[in-house]
Amino acid sequence: MEHYLLRHRDVANIHKLDVYRANGGFDALKKAVTSMQPQQIIDEVKTSGLRGRGGAGFPTGVKWSFLPNNSWPHYVVCNADESEPGTFKDREIMEKNPFQFLEGVALACYAVGANEGYIYLRGEFFGIRNFLDECIAEMEAAGLLGDKLFGTNYSLRLKTHLGAGAYICGEETALLESIEGKRGQPRVRPPFPAVVGLYGKPTVINNVETLANLPLIVDKGAVWYRTMGTEKSPGVKVFSLSGNVVRPGNYELPLGTTFRELIFTHGGGIPDGRKVKGIMPAGASSSIIRVDDTTFDTVMDTPMDYENVQNVGSLLGSASVIIIDDSHDMDWVINKTVHFFKHESCGKCTPCRDGNYWMYHIVDRIHEGHGSQKDLALLMSVANQVNGKCLCALGDFSTMAVTSALERFPEDFNKKVKA
Amino acid sequence: MSLTEKYNEEVKAILAKYPNKRSAVMPLLYLAQREGGFVTKESMAEIGAMLGMETTEVAAIVGFYSLYHDEQAGKYRMQVCADLPCALRGADKFLETLCSNLGVKVGETTSDGMITVESVMCLAGCDRAPMFQVQDGDVVTYHENMTIDKTMELVEALRAAGKEVK
């Protein structure tokens, strides 16, 4: 199948501006700025059904339409903080197909009337930041950014901002705090960033992959876009496949592709004759899907879109599909995830900060073989006291693997603990 | 030497970049960390004065983000990802062997002061585990699909490069 987001896999050197332009690059931006009203872009994106690829799956065009027209300036902020364990798709788009991504940022800016866009990258993406700065400079030199774009009165500047290692900055209000020079801790909502965002101004925050879809939609139209994917989850998605598979990596596929096709056709199946035991379709934040002889076919035939993954007890999220084979026990798996969330909790909300501290110590005790049956109940109780009780979703995320592992893989825990 | 004396042009460019002064704090902290690999108390005070922040507010930023450091470590911080996706592909064993080859525990620095081994959270390189990044001042470099042999070659190269700088 042709790649629309990972276009570098079909077109050599598309990371070079002249090659990108020779292959239709920036036609969409020129068309938009010279012949379309911002509202037309918003309507086209709404019609396309594009949903946010960062994990929440919220309709992009609808998100844009929340910005009030009586408060200016407007800002567009790209969330390039990609930090969910199991996710590595935005990175490939920015490294290999940077101009399609940047054209998408520019289109989003035009659509919401922003003259300034920020790209917030996780600090570890130091090299990508430098590369994007070069790309932005090339665009400025070529008249694709700056004042009076394509002879119109529209002007646009893009800036990168480098984070410094904090998962929480992928949460959109924490990200804004970080750009403003503060600790990356979530804000109380409302007000939402669409009304009070960066520097107190109306702000749209979109994920890298979401933005990379925009040139396609503006260029080829919403009707074409909807020919891919499903009715409620249209378009293509980059699935990051990791863990116990023969060929881990990014796979660009239509939304609604089954687990079977991703894991076995593309990923080459499970190495060493092992079986799939669990799937975390949304990275470390997932509820773990149990796969055994009775559930295997049901899970494998499930289409991976925003609706159907819920039917097997999890969420699609950012489609960071972690495969766990039957050589691993779930007390080890959640020891890893809870360790992650304990480290990444920003500390603002007590249930998340203290809850993760305690979950980590209980899980560690169980994993080391010093736990009791009482600890299993205690762990569930702590998780339930974190879930739904924090300002942002990190607290909830931290409990997903824990509660699903306890409920769906009780044998792994029962054999570890004393009566 | 102060940051403005040492990096005058870069400091000016950073301050001019944002509509709000305080937004400059993160890029300035990277600058402060460039040479010694950690942010000194003096630099925190200087950045605070530049941006109208208390020194403790600057220190709070340093403490919050994992890529800023307030203490000296080895010249190179070798930061191995041992999160779930990498661990499913052998990252724990990789980290353990690396530490034993270097004669250190996680968090410790080799006796020549060159390499500090750290275990860090997901680096978005899950499909290329084992993997790690090397932090050298304000520069971060990725090393992916690594073996112990390849890593030990890199260690020797870093040691040689580090000596030249000294």
Side-chain angles (χ1 to χ4, degrees):
Chain A
M1 208 187 90
E2 189 178 345
H3 291 89
Y4 295 105
L5 301 172
L6 307 178
R7 263 183 101 194
H8 53 279
R9 297 189 180 184
D10 303 331
V11 183
N13 294 319
I14 202 152
H15 66 281
K16 296 194 165 130
L17 183 56
D18 55 339
V19 177
Y20 181 63
R21 293 190 83 172
N23 284 279
F26 292 104
D27 288 357
L29 182 63
K30 187 175 179 184
K31 175 178 158 186
V33 173
T34 59
S35 71
M36 293 172 83
Q37 291 300 313
Q39 188 59 45
Q40 284 177 277
I41 316 265
I42 296 178
D43 291 340
E44 196 70 21
V45 172
K46 270 189 193 168
T47 310
S48 77
L50 175 67
R51 296 169 67 169
R53 302 296 195 234
F58 192 82
T60 305
V62 178
K63 194 177 199 180
W64 291 353
S65 63
F66 293 149
L67 270 67
N69 273 323
N70 58 1
S71 172
W72 298 91
H74 291 176
Y75 287 110
V76 166
V77 175
C78 169
N79 185 344
D81 191 60
E82 183 163 66
S83 304
E84 179 69 40
T87 311
F88 42 87
K89 64 188 178 67
D90 296 340
R91 191 186 149 191
E92 180 169 349
I93 293 169
M94 292 187 289
E95 282 175 334
K96 308 285 188 185
N97 191 11
F99 290 108
Q100 182 172 334
F101 156 62
L102 292 169
E103 185 177 7
V105 182
L107 282 166
C109 288
Y110 180 71
V112 301
N115 298 111
E116 212 165 51
Y118 284 85
I119 299 162
Y120 183 96
L121 298 113
R122 61 178 296 176
E124 293 80 357
F125 288 174
F126 168 85
I128 301 174
R129 191 276 311 264
N130 289 350
F131 178 54
L132 289 181
D133 280 347
E134 289 167 22
C135 294
I136 289 168
E138 279 183 69
M139 283 170 66
E140 283 168 353
L144 298 163
L145 286 175
D147 292 328
K148 298 194 180 301
L149 284 191
F150 307 108
T152 67
N153 278 327
Y154 182 63
S155 56
L156 175 62
R157 286 191 165 70
L158 300 183
K159 296 171 182 177
T160 57
H161 185 88
L162 195 61
Y167 170 76
I168 188 60
C169 290
E171 194 283 330
E172 58 182 19
T173 60
L175 188 158
L176 298 177
E177 289 286 295
S178 184
I179 297 182
E180 292 183 5
K182 300 172 206 157
R183 296 156 69 100
Q185 294 185 312
R187 296 176 180 172
V188 178
R189 283 156 294 183
F192 289 91
V195 182
V196 181
L198 184 63
Y199 304 126
K201 299 298 177 188
T203 302
V204 152
I205 300 140
N206 286 141
N207 165 262
V208 172
E209 185 186 353
T210 310
L211 294 163
N213 276 278
L214 298 177
L216 297 168
I217 293 167
V218 172
D219 187 34
K220 298 172 196 281
V223 173
W224 169 83
Y225 192 77
R226 295 194 76 101
T227 61
M228 302 180 294
T230 68
E231 176 64 28
K232 286 184 180 164
S233 302
V236 286
K237 178 84 192 76
V238 181
F239 294 86
S240 294
L241 180 64
S242 68
N244 301 125
V245 281
V246 175
R247 289 188 295 274
N250 286 320
Y251 295 95
E252 180 187 320
L253 300 163
L255 278 160
T257 300
T258 61
F259 279 108
R260 193 188 303 271
E261 183 180 337
L262 176 69
I263 298 166
F264 289 93
T265 309
H266 301 288
I270 316 305
D272 308 324
R274 290 275 176 187
K275 286 182 174 175
V276 190
K277 174 171 176 174
I279 303 176
M280 301 183 80
S285 300
S286 312
S287 288
I288 308 170
I289 299 171
R290 180 181 173 115
V291 182
D292 55 28
D293 290 344
T294 44
T295 61
F296 183 84
D297 284 326
T298 311
V299 173
M300 289 305 148
D301 292 331
T302 298
M304 289 183 289
D305 56 39
Y306 296 104
E307 289 73 36
N308 281 295
V309 177
Q310 294 183 43
N311 295 339
V312 283
S314 196
L315 289 171
L316 181 68
S318 59
S320 28
V321 183
I322 306 172
I323 306 299
I324 301 158
D325 75 21
D326 59 357
S327 67
H328 301 285
D329 285 338
M330 290 301 161
D331 56 299
W332 175 79
V333 170
I334 65 169
N335 196 32
K336 284 286 180 189
T337 63
V338 174
H339 180 245
F340 173 80
F341 288 110
K342 171 180 161 282
H343 186 270
E344 298 301 340
S345 174
C346 80
K348 185 162 180 164
C349 309
T350 309
C352 174
R353 181 189 62 236
D354 282 17
N356 271 288
Y357 173 87
W358 285 111
M359 283 199 288
Y360 179 66
H361 282 278
I362 302 166
V363 172
D364 201 48
R365 185 157 73 218
I366 296 166
H367 177 60
E368 294 296 328
H370 306 306
S372 67
Q373 280 289 342
K374 269 189 183 167
D375 283 325
L376 299 181
L378 182 61
L379 180 58
M380 190 60 112
S381 160
V382 176
N384 288 333
Q385 292 174 73
V386 176
N387 194 14
K389 296 176 180 65
C390 307
L391 277 179
C392 85
L394 192 149
D396 302 347
F397 290 164
S398 70
T399 67
M400 296 296 156
V402 173
T403 54
S404 60
L406 286 170
E407 283 165 1
R408 299 171 188 173
F409 302 87
E411 65 278 16
D412 285 16
F413 295 91
N414 287 333
K415 75 179 182 196
K416 274 278 163 65
V417 298
K418 294 168 237 152
Chain B
M1 235 199 295
S2 72
L3 295 173
T4 33
E5 285 167 328
K6 215 186 286 181
Y7 307 112
N8 191 24
E9 291 305 310
E10 278 177 89
V11 170
K12 271 198 240 165
I14 290 168
L15 291 174
K17 183 174 173 181
Y18 300 96
N20 164 326
K21 263 202 306 194
R22 188 168 169 152
S23 286
V25 69
M26 293 181 73
L28 288 174
L29 284 171
Y30 275 122
L31 208 55
Q33 202 168 264
R34 182 177 292 170
E35 220 161 83
F38 72 107
V39 186
T40 61
K41 287 260 163 30
E42 293 72 28
S43 291
M44 289 186 211
E46 188 190 352
I47 291 171
M50 255 189 264
L51 305 181
M53 294 165 73
E54 296 296 330
T55 306
T56 45
E57 285 182 281
V58 180
I61 304 283
V62 173
F64 186 83
Y65 295 97
S66 63
L67 287 172
Y68 298 132
H69 311 286
D70 59 4
E71 280 180 347
Q72 181 139 37
K75 169 149 179 55
Y76 303 99
R77 289 174 183 263
M78 198 172 252
Q79 298 166 331
V80 181
C81 175
D83 252 327
L84 178 63
C86 280
L88 288 165
R89 305 185 72 81
D92 288 332
K93 181 84 196 142
F94 174 85
L95 180 59
E96 197 188 307
T97 314
L98 176 63
C99 282
S100 106
N101 281 10
L102 294 175
V104 295
K105 292 197 187 89
V106 173
E108 289 180 352
T109 304
T110 53
S111 52
D112 60 359
M114 283 293 169
I115 313 275
T116 302
V117 180
E118 296 175 315
S119 171
V120 298
M121 302 297 125
C122 185
L123 298 174
C126 322
D127 57 334
R128 303 173 196 177
M131 61 85 61
F132 57 85
Q133 65 185 6
V134 174
Q135 191 185 13
D136 172 17
D138 63 339
V139 178
V140 171
T141 318
Y142 270 43
H143 299 273
E144 302 178 287
N145 290 319
M146 293 306 279
T147 60
I148 286 293
D149 287 349
K150 265 159 76 180
T151 307
M152 293 313 293
E153 280 172 31
L154 176 73
V155 165
E156 289 319 311
L158 289 175
R159 279 180 162 147
K163 264 182 206 138
E164 292 214 348
V165 178
K166 271 192 176 173

